[in-house]
Amino acid sequence: MMEADEILEKEVLTALRRVLRATDLDAKSLARQTGLTTSQLLVLELLSLAGELTVGGIADKVGLTQGTVTSMIDKLQQRGLVVRRRGSADRRQVKVSLTGEGREMVARAPTALQTRFLEEFSGLQEWERHAIVAALQRVADL
């Protein structure tokens, strides 16, 4: 017979595997349907809502490094989904926005797992959201 600690350890590992598997399957499905990574779609969705942002602004909002976002924007620009423009007030500043094709991609792309999760998460009671965040932060620290 398993001890209570062993049962909890098994349950937490099973839950983590389920999260990782769902994320992996969603990313593969998204790539098949659109040719985009989950992060690329999130950047496109962000630009769809925000209009235009700097690379640093995008990085802050999606939680990626500026270098990663720069590389991602390069790829999205090569595909004709985004465009870079110099700021009118400050020519040193470069703003990124969607092209017409980028807007079409966002419109026809499936909803990313992360977006669906956030929709469900926002429906939870505030104490549940805080408990989940605290637990996940602790798991990440482990």
Side-chain angles (χ1 to χ4, degrees):
M1 183 179 249
M2 278 199 204
E3 286 185 37
D5 285 348
E6 289 176 330
I7 293 170
L8 284 175
E9 289 169 357
K10 182 179 177 191
E11 287 177 1
V12 75
L13 292 176
T14 299
L16 286 171
R17 277 194 293 273
R18 287 181 59 207
V19 169
L20 292 171
R21 178 140 172 81
T23 303
D24 184 51
L25 290 174
D26 185 69
K28 287 177 181 173
S29 174
L30 180 66
R32 266 193 316 277
Q33 293 177 51
T34 65
L36 297 171
T37 66
T38 301
S39 295
Q40 288 172 329
L41 178 58
L42 291 174
V43 166
L44 294 179
E45 288 174 345
L46 173 63
L47 289 170
S48 176
L49 295 172
E52 68 177 10
L53 292 167
T54 63
V55 171
I58 294 168
D60 286 343
K61 291 189 184 304
V62 296
L64 297 171
T65 67
Q66 200 161 336
T68 298
V69 172
T70 297
S71 174
M72 189 183 310
I73 296 300
D74 288 343
K75 291 174 184 166
L76 293 171
Q77 189 172 18
Q78 288 171 359
R79 288 191 56 184
L81 300 175
V82 299
V83 64
R84 288 179 168 110
R85 289 187 186 86
R86 293 257 171 224
S88 54
D90 182 351
R91 301 284 300 149
R92 295 171 298 175
Q93 197 172 55
V94 176
K95 304 246 179 155
V96 181
S97 61
L98 292 178
T99 62
E101 190 175 335
R103 281 187 288 283
E104 289 175 19
M105 177 65 79
V106 171
R108 69 175 186 264
T111 305
L113 177 65
Q114 292 176 356
T115 303
R116 294 191 312 269
F117 169 80
L118 290 176
E119 289 169 357
E120 293 287 328
F121 181 76
S122 68
L124 297 174
Q125 292 183 22
E126 185 176 359
W127 71 266
E128 289 177 297
R129 293 192 311 265
H130 285 285
I132 290 170
V133 169
L136 288 173
Q137 287 172 336
R138 185 70 174 120
V139 168
D141 290 342
L142 293 175

